[in-house]
Amino acid sequence: VLCLQYGLNAAALVPHMVFLVDFVSRELGGGLALGAFAWTLFGLAAVAGPFLAGAAADRFGYDRSFRAILMLQVPVIAIVAISPTMPLVLMSGCAAGAATPGVVPLVLGLVRQSTPEIDERTRAWGQATAVFALLQAVGAYAFTALLSAGGHYGLLFASAAVLVLLALGLDPLRRRLGAAGSGLAAGSR
């Protein structure tokens, strides 16, 4: 369940990672300079993301922090579809930038907590990484196909928010399985 949540989150981050600059430059009419600025903000936030996620995990635990990062991503991604004003899009880019690498240490911590044996942990992290990469690639293809078929950027970002909602919707199941001691489903800290 955690692997699926991680993979859905990976796919949901694709619109910001791949289309943010074009969206700001052409769709919002900001030009290449503002598109580059949006990408710079995304990148700077990405540098801070793992540190912020680690600090949250230290304070609140991996489980709560993972759930919080999913909950925060829903409005941050959806706002681009709902109200694509430049300030909100730039704020959304920063938050998505932080979440992109920020989710990784949280999932790694959950895997570590739920798999005490080192061999099992290595296998579990490998599975999580494979699912992340697979769903991110599928998401990139699907979002590109959607845009090429006449879709619009708002639809991409709305779809991404739905993917995070799906990941969040799986959280009670992951926690229930974690309480029962099943595999990758980690319990709270």
Side-chain angles (χ1 to χ4, degrees):
V1 176
L2 179 60
C3 285
L4 183 55
Q5 287 179 289
Y6 192 42
L8 288 169
N9 190 72
L13 293 168
V14 167
H16 277 89
M17 291 187 305
V18 176
F19 301 107
L20 180 65
V21 173
D22 190 56
F23 179 65
V24 169
S25 297
R26 292 191 312 146
E27 185 79 10
L28 297 181
L32 288 177
L34 197 52
F37 178 69
W39 189 243
T40 300
L41 291 178
F42 180 95
L44 291 173
V47 171
F51 296 104
L52 295 172
D58 285 344
R59 181 169 174 112
F60 303 109
Y62 290 105
D63 185 58
R64 287 184 187 151
S65 298
F66 179 64
R67 196 166 35 262
I69 202 168
L70 293 177
M71 287 191 292
L72 290 171
Q73 284 180 83
V74 174
V76 159
I77 294 171
I79 196 70
V80 178
I82 296 167
S83 181
T85 63
M86 196 62 72
L88 290 176
V89 169
L90 294 176
M91 179 276 308
S92 177
C94 284
T100 298
V103 74
V104 176
L106 299 177
V107 172
L108 184 56
L110 288 169
V111 167
R112 183 168 188 206
Q113 285 180 341
S114 66
T115 52
E117 304 264 336
I118 190 72
D119 289 341
E120 182 183 341
R121 187 180 311 148
T122 301
R123 213 171 16 263
W125 182 243
Q127 290 171 351
T129 301
V131 171
F132 183 97
L134 175 65
L135 289 184
Q136 192 169 60
V138 168
Y141 178 80
F143 286 125
T144 301
L146 184 62
L147 197 58
S148 295
H152 55 85
Y153 286 102
L155 182 58
L156 298 185
F157 289 101
S159 299
V162 169
L163 291 175
V164 179
L165 272 174
L166 289 172
L168 191 57
L170 290 170
D171 208 57
L173 176 61
R174 178 185 60 81
R175 291 172 50 220
R176 236 186 336 251
L177 291 173
S182 298
L184 278 179
S188 65
R189 186 173 194 202

